[in-house]
Amino acid sequence: MKWIKIISIIAIAIIIFFGGYFTGSINNNKASTEIRIGYKNSNNPDQIDYSTIFTNIENQDIVDNFIMIYLQKERIMNANPDTENPDIYIDVISPKRSVGLIDSKVWFTNEGAIIGKRSGESWDEIEYYKIDKEDANYIKENIDYKES
């Protein structure tokens, strides 16, 4: 009788341990940061098609480099891009928390790129930044950008 109690306690402990282990491993497979690259849909200009997605699970280096590019951008006051026709859209989101972190439009230039970052509830409030040619080329290379 005493052995049955000891074996049952050990069995219950093993079941609890493996249950926690599998629950943890399932929950940790979801990306905490996702970078989505989008283009306007040619048939429906109000629709953005996100053709390239980088996650910190599969592409940690690329996610880190994109974040560093956004951290090192330089604010500009006199930007005048075609706000309705950016070259690409870049969104940074947190899928685990269902939160959008950065909502931006990018226009590539000869000197690098201009980033228009939404700073309010809608695209009526935009802050403009510039990045150098090296950072712009990094973005282009990783998204297989083809100039139209």
Side-chain angles (χ1 to χ4, degrees), residues 69-75 115 117 129-131:
I69 288 169
Y70 270 78
L71 288 173
Q72 295 174 5
K73 66 191 180 307
E74 183 181 328
R75 179 95 190 253
I115 296 174
K117 184 174 163 249
Y129 302 88
K130 68 177 180 177
I131 59 173

Side-chain angles (χ1 to χ4, degrees), residues 9-145:
I9 290 172
I10 292 173
I12 290 172
I14 290 172
I15 291 171
I16 290 172
F17 171 77
F18 281 113
Y21 174 77
F22 287 119
T23 301
S25 66
I26 289 170
N27 289 337
N28 285 336
N29 286 339
K30 191 169 186 180
S32 62
T33 306
E34 186 175 279
I35 296 178
R36 303 177 342 162
I37 310 298
Y39 299 90
K40 267 190 181 180
N41 182 296
S42 55
N43 297 327
N44 183 1
D46 293 333
Q47 178 181 327
I48 309 301
D49 295 329
Y50 291 96
S51 57
T52 305
I53 298 175
F54 301 111
T55 67
N56 64 320
I57 300 278
E58 299 165 354
N59 311 95
Q60 184 67 55
D61 291 343
I62 294 173
V63 170
D64 289 346
N65 287 333
F66 268 76
I67 297 296
M68 287 307 296
I69 288 169
Y70 270 78
L71 288 173
Q72 295 174 5
K73 66 191 180 307
E74 183 181 328
R75 179 95 190 253
I76 54 176
M77 302 306 265
N78 57 354
N80 193 17
D82 180 1
T83 57
E84 296 303 314
N85 296 303
D87 293 316
I88 61 172
Y89 295 80
I90 299 178
D91 292 346
V92 180
I93 64 170
S94 173
K96 277 188 175 179
R97 291 182 173 61
S98 299
V99 174
L101 304 172
I102 298 173
D103 195 5
S104 64
K105 299 177 180 182
V106 178
W107 298 265
F108 293 111
T109 66
N110 292 333
E111 296 82 33
I114 295 173
I115 296 174
K117 184 174 163 249
R118 188 169 58 95
S119 60
E121 293 292 319
S122 70
W123 279 105
D124 294 332
E125 299 176 48
I126 303 174
E127 293 178 354
Y128 292 101
Y129 302 88
K130 68 177 180 177
I131 59 173
D132 63 26
K133 193 171 192 79
E134 183 179 324
D135 289 340
N137 287 339
Y138 178 83
I139 292 172
K140 286 179 180 180
E141 289 168 13
N142 281 285
I143 65 170
D144 295 326
Y145 178 75

